[in-house]
Amino acid sequence: MPTTVLQVPGCLSFFRVLLLAFIFGAAAAEGTPTDKVLQRPDGSSIYWTIDRQSGGAKQGILIIAQGSGCLAATENPNIKNAKRLLPTFAVLTVEKYGVDPHAKPGDPFEGCSARFYAHHTVSQRVDDYQRVLDELKRESW
């Protein structure tokens, strides 16, 4: 498995998976984004989406960690543009803590939920991505 590693203490494994494509997968229909949910230890939900742009027994995964604010990744036009970079890869996005699936706040920087402001941290993002990746490792593709 090829890797490009960014040396960030405490975040190494997160950035390692962010900067490369892995050959493992998640069950989802080819070409159709599928919304999924996992639970955090505190009982809150991790909302994530996998989009298998093309099929295959094995498929790489492009992991996209969208930028600032609380606009849902599913609503971010930049995600659609990024998908075009690797059209044969599945695309994984994980919503930030406190961001509901398909959320389109009127002001995605000042109009976020109290949960977002209380829990949205880099370390929380790392934990969320790691949980999702652990789930994906169980899939056959």
Side-chain angles (χ1 to χ4, degrees):
M1 165 174 7
T3 61
T4 302
V5 178
L6 177 63
Q7 297 291 332
V8 179
C11 299
L12 182 60
S13 63
F14 172 72
F15 286 105
R16 186 176 312 169
V17 291
L18 262 183
L19 297 173
L20 61 110
F22 282 89
I23 307 289
F24 58 56
E30 178 183 332
T32 304
T34 303
D35 294 336
K36 305 259 188 180
V37 181
L38 288 173
Q39 298 300 302
R40 293 184 187 94
D42 68 3
S44 63
S45 295
I46 302 170
Y47 300 107
W48 57 286
T49 302
I50 190 77
D51 183 355
R52 290 193 67 190
Q53 300 184 100
S54 64
K58 296 288 181 185
Q59 186 175 13
I61 295 179
L62 173 61
I63 301 167
I64 301 177
Q66 71 278 20
S68 305
C70 57
L71 176 68
T74 54
E75 306 304 317
N76 188 330
N78 293 323
I79 301 297
K80 288 181 184 178
N81 293 331
K83 287 179 180 185
R84 292 186 201 128
L85 295 172
L86 294 168
T88 61
F89 280 55
V91 176
L92 171 66
T93 57
V94 177
E95 297 299 350
K96 298 169 186 171
Y97 199 116
V99 176
D100 292 329
H102 307 283
K104 294 186 220 178
D107 182 341
F109 297 99
E110 299 295 326
C112 304
S113 71
R115 293 178 306 140
F116 173 86
Y117 291 119
H119 300 284
H120 173 61
T121 63
V122 171
S123 60
Q124 183 64 59
R125 298 270 304 176
V126 169
D127 290 346
D128 289 352
Y129 270 94
Q130 190 61 59
R131 284 187 187 287
V132 171
L133 289 169
D134 288 345
E135 182 75 14
L136 286 172
K137 288 177 185 177
R138 297 183 190 133
E139 298 295 334
S140 63
W141 60 266

